[in-house]
Every structure is written in structure tokens, then in C-alpha cells.
Amino acid sequence: MRLQKILSNFQKLHPKEIDLSLDRIKNLCNKLGNPQDKIKAISFIGTNAKNSTLSGIYSILKEAEFKCNVYTSPHIQKINERFVYNNQQLNDDELAELFEDVQKINNNDPITFFEILTACFFYKASQYPDNINLIESGLFYRLDSTNVLKSNLASVVTAISEDHLDWLPENDRTIERIIFEKTSSLLNSNIIVAKQRDAKTMQCIKKTISKNKSNKYFFNEDFSFTNEENGNWYYEDKFGGLKLPIPNILGQFQLENISTAIATLRILDIGIKDDHIKNSITKIESIARLQEIKSGKLKDLVKNNKLIVDGSHNVHGAQVLNEYLQTLNCNKHIILGMMANKEHEKYISYFKDISSITTIDIPNQNSISGKELKNKFKNYPNVQYQESIKEAIKSIPLKENDILLITGSLYLAGEVLNLN
């Protein structure tokens, strides 16, 4: 109750109109004693795979007995997920105390919800100057509230694609503009660029960061991986090759993310050993990213069928999700809920050989209604609408070996996990 009251107060400080700028966050950080200048950080910038790549790095660092602070967004089930210190989430009382301290220092100045949360993270993180901070950027990066660091250990650029286009000028909603917003203000340190969806995107990134004086490392040039038989895969960079076990998380694309994670930590030369990497990639914790639900109330409804939840919500996410589904020899059923500002028809167009689509509402969010979503997909066979997640699951006549995937939004994924 105490925590919810504080969060409600944060929302009241939110400006009526948001101008994308760093003025508010810099002002609050200055009041807090500029805690962001007192930490060691790895920054994660991109459209897709930020959280998955961060999770890979976090798993390796924990295996090597590093202490980490972790800032991610959005949270999936509880806001506590965004505030990890010394490898542990803050509990409700600890989080409430942190929020109250920063709220008092802010003194009711206008500030966005994400900005004040970011300031809170920095404020607490500065108490652990020896920890490595893993910081996931929010919207774009150039004017994102996480972009107030003066230095960092590395900037990890994950896959970039079209998303959040409504925040850009109507005449400039292009991949080139998105790449500019995400990469034009990266710090001078180390830049690691993950696999991109096409050569054009990679070339545009290279051009945008060409004058940045960082050490630069690119997938397929400075690090890469190949699949092998017998349950292994092979990673390679200038430091040598590693034969690695298949990770505990689903999807071929996760090998790309883990490769980026390995490259980053080997480049930083902070004492990560081969065994740390080998042992850690079967222990990665990844919520709502091709997460198989193996027990719980919703799992009971599908009985012996596989139930997967995934928070993908844009075109590139749909592409890699479909690539995973195409590796499965079974019938695939999708339950779909999406936010109002997404490219709904384009998103669903990437899925092939789907047996049924069930659209639903996402409660308490700025989402498109399930009925409206169904009408957008009227050219697809076997499309239906159900009001709730439970009713949607019950309505699908699953046969032996069929798979049920719930996707379209991280907010929907959170609802699923909370219900389960």
C-alpha cells in the first residue's frame, strides 16, 4: 500500500506534455549529488534483445562472482524487477524508502515517471561504487533519461528496427532516424554492435558512429558463432574459440544475444574465464522472452501441451519469433493482445502456418481492443476474439503436441505470468 501510494504521487508529477529532453533528469540528478557519475556501467541500446543480452551478461558476471546492479524496463510483474542491487531485487519496504528519499529531494518538481525511476536507480547504485551496473535504455537513447552518464565501460547496441514511430516527426519515421536517435550520442568507450536484421541497418549504424572514438566491435567481423551437432555451438573472436552447450532459453536468436554478451565481457578483460561462460549460459533467467510456462493455473488449462509466453511487439520481434516457430513440427496457436500504437497488421503478417489466432484485451493499458484487433485480421483463417486470457485458452481445441503461444506485448506477458 505504501509503495503504491508513492508511485501514485510520482504519476502526479508527470508533465502534462512531455518534451523529449534531458533537462528534468539532469536537474534531479544534480540535486541528488550526480550519483550517475559515481558508478561503473554497461549501457544497452537498441530496439530488440536489450533485455536478453543483458540477461546473458548478468548470468556470466554472477557465475564469476561479480556483484551487479541492474536497471531494466518495463517491469513484467512487479516494479521491484527494475531495481536490483548486489544481485538482489529490493523488497517493497526498501523500494518505498528509496522512492521516498528521492521524492523528498525532488521537491515536487515536474518529472516523468521513467525519469524519476531512473534517478532513483542511480541514487541507490552510487552506494555500491565497485559493482557493475547493467542499464537498459528506454525510448530511443539520445534523449533517454539513462543517457546522463559521463562515462561507461561499454555501450552494447542490440538489434535496431522500427518501433515507437509515434514519437518521431511524421515526415521522418525511418530506420535512419531511429538509428540516429539510438547511436549518435554513444559515449567514448567500447561499442559492441550485435547482429542486425540486414546489411543496410548495420551500414547505417557504422556510418552514424563513424566519428565516435570508441573501440568498435561488430558481429560477423569481430565475433561470431556457428551451430554444431551433438548439442553444442561454437563462439569465436580474436581471443579464440569456445565450444559451448546449448543455453537453457529457447530460440536460435538467443545464440546471437549470448554471443554479444560474451564478446562484451571478453573485450572488457575483467577476468571472465571460459568456464564462467560455459557454466552460466545454462542458467540464464529470462522473463517473458520465449518463456515456457511449466506449471501453474494457466499451464493446468493446456494440460500436456506446451505453453509459451513472449513479449515481442514489433516487426523484428515477430520475425525472430516466427523463425523459432518454423523449427517446430506441430500445430501452433496464438493468443494475441497489443498496444494501440503498434503496427498490428504488419506484426501478424510475419507469422506463417498458424492454426488459429485468438485476440484479447489487455486490461488497464492503452491497448487496442481485442475486437478491433480481430477485425484487422479478418483476412486470416480461424481468427476469434475472447474477453480474457483464461477464456481464450479454454476456447482453443488443442490436440496432442499442439503449442500455444501468448504474445504481442510485454504488458500482456505480465498479465499472463501474474494470472498463472
Side-chain angles (χ1 to χ4, degrees):
M1 196 71 176
R2 174 187 173 200
L3 185 57
Q4 289 305 315
K5 184 177 179 181
I6 300 167
L7 291 172
S8 178
N9 289 336
F10 280 1
Q11 296 283 16
K12 291 174 184 175
L13 298 173
H14 205 284
K16 292 181 180 178
E17 291 187 16
I18 304 175
D19 58 313
L20 288 180
S21 75
L22 298 176
D23 294 341
R24 289 180 298 267
I25 181 72
K26 285 182 175 179
N27 180 52
L28 178 52
C29 282
N30 189 51
K31 289 182 181 179
L32 296 170
N34 288 313
Q36 76 280 8
D37 297 343
K38 303 168 186 175
I39 64 174
K40 298 184 292 188
I42 300 174
S43 304
F44 296 82
I45 301 99
T47 308
N48 295 86
K50 286 181 293 185
N51 191 275
S52 293
T53 307
L54 183 155
S55 297
I57 287 180
Y58 186 28
S59 186
I60 298 169
L61 288 172
K62 284 191 292 183
E63 187 69 25
E65 299 186 349
F66 279 82
K67 295 289 188 182
C68 297
N69 308 326
V70 184
Y71 183 60
T72 57
S73 65
H75 59 274
I76 307 300
Q77 292 178 269
K78 291 183 68 179
I79 196 166
N80 310 59
E81 296 165 24
R82 304 185 189 216
F83 294 89
V84 172
Y85 301 94
N86 277 344
N87 302 345
Q88 295 288 329
Q89 284 184 23
L90 294 187
N91 63 37
D92 285 1
D93 288 339
E94 291 169 330
L95 198 54
E97 184 177 340
L98 170 61
F99 287 172
E100 284 173 342
D101 288 346
V102 174
Q103 181 177 237
K104 184 177 180 180
I105 294 169
N106 183 58
N107 196 29
N108 292 317
D109 278 353
I111 194 157
T112 71
F113 188 67
F114 185 66
E115 287 167 350
I116 197 166
L117 293 186
T118 305
C120 287
F121 174 81
F122 288 142
Y123 189 54
K124 183 77 173 178
S126 66
Q127 297 174 20
Y128 308 95
D130 295 328
N131 288 14
I132 293 180
N133 291 263
L134 307 179
I135 300 175
E136 180 182 354
S137 66
L139 181 66
F140 301 130
Y141 184 66
R142 184 172 65 90
L143 297 174
D144 182 75
S145 62
T146 64
N147 188 21
V148 291
L149 302 173
K150 287 184 178 176
S151 64
N152 68 3
L153 299 174
S155 298
V156 180
V157 179
T158 64
I160 296 179
S161 62
E162 291 93 342
D163 202 3
H164 302 295
L165 298 178
D166 51 317
W167 285 93
L168 296 175
E170 283 190 33
N171 62 347
D172 198 12
R173 294 176 175 176
T174 63
I175 188 66
E176 290 82 5
R177 176 60 185 266
I178 291 172
I179 289 169
F180 172 80
E181 293 293 336
K182 289 183 182 289
T183 65
S184 64
S185 61
L186 299 180
L187 293 167
N188 291 330
S189 59
N190 297 288
I191 299 175
I192 299 90
V193 182
K195 181 181 178 182
Q196 301 299 315
R197 63 176 183 169
D198 53 41
K200 175 187 174 185
T201 303
M202 183 64 90
Q203 286 305 120
C204 188
I205 292 171
K206 287 182 177 181
K207 182 179 179 182
T208 307
I209 66 174
S210 61
K211 294 181 180 178
N212 188 300
K213 295 178 181 178
S214 296
N215 302 311
K216 298 163 193 164
Y217 307 88
F218 301 95
F219 179 83
N220 245 10
E221 296 178 22
D222 302 291
F223 64 99
S224 62
F225 75 91
T226 53
N227 281 312
E228 290 191 349
E229 296 179 355
N230 305 319
N232 292 291
W233 59 292
Y234 192 76
Y235 169 88
E236 193 168 17
D237 61 20
K238 67 180 182 179
F239 303 106
L242 287 173
K243 189 174 184 179
L244 298 168
I246 296 298
N248 62 307
I249 46 181
L250 300 173
Q252 167 78 14
F253 62 92
Q254 292 289 9
L255 300 185
E256 300 166 9
N257 302 333
I258 294 168
S259 292
T260 307
I262 296 169
T264 302
L265 292 178
R266 291 182 111 186
I267 287 160
L268 291 181
D269 191 23
I270 55 175
I272 300 298
K273 308 297 184 185
D274 292 354
D275 281 347
H276 296 145
I277 296 168
K278 290 175 183 176
N279 295 335
S280 68
I281 65 172
T282 57
K283 302 175 185 176
I284 298 172
E285 297 175 17
S286 187
I287 302 174
R289 276 82 179 176
L290 265 185
Q291 179 182 355
E292 182 179 357
I293 297 178
K294 297 185 177 181
S295 63
K297 295 177 181 177
L298 298 185
K299 171 59 180 172
D300 290 345
L301 295 178
V302 303
K303 299 178 181 176
N304 293 327
N305 293 93
K306 187 174 282 189
L307 176 62
I308 295 174
V309 61
D310 187 85
S312 69
H313 49 267
N314 55 41
V315 169
H316 186 257
Q319 285 178 300
V320 295
L321 190 49
N322 178 67
E323 287 171 7
Y324 167 72
L325 293 177
Q326 293 304 305
T327 67
L328 307 176
N329 184 22
C330 62
N331 294 321
K332 300 111 182 174
H333 303 267
I334 291 179
I335 294 175
L336 186 71
M338 299 188 76
M339 301 302 284
N341 63 346
K342 301 300 177 181
E343 297 179 290
H344 310 112
E345 294 101 328
K346 202 169 179 182
Y347 178 86
I348 203 66
S349 71
Y350 283 91
F351 292 95
K352 308 300 179 187
D353 306 317
I354 301 302
S355 298
S356 73
I357 300 171
T358 304
T359 63
I360 57 172
D361 305 314
I362 306 177
N364 307 314
Q365 296 294 339
N366 181 28
S367 63
I368 183 172
S369 74
K371 288 182 179 178
E372 190 178 347
L373 201 54
K374 177 194 171 187
N375 291 335
K376 287 192 170 193
F377 302 153
K378 58 189 176 185
N379 293 329
Y380 289 82
N382 301 320
V383 179
Q384 64 163 339
Y385 162 74
Q386 295 290 334
E387 286 188 9
S388 71
I389 295 166
K390 284 186 179 179
E391 290 305 313
I393 293 174
K394 290 178 182 178
S395 72
I396 299 168
L398 295 171
K399 298 177 182 177
E400 188 177 356
N401 295 324
D402 286 7
I403 279 187
L404 178 57
L405 168 69
I406 307 177
T407 189
S409 167
L410 285 166
Y411 298 104
L412 175 60
E415 289 287 332
V416 170
L417 295 173
N418 285 329
L419 277 174
N420 190 58

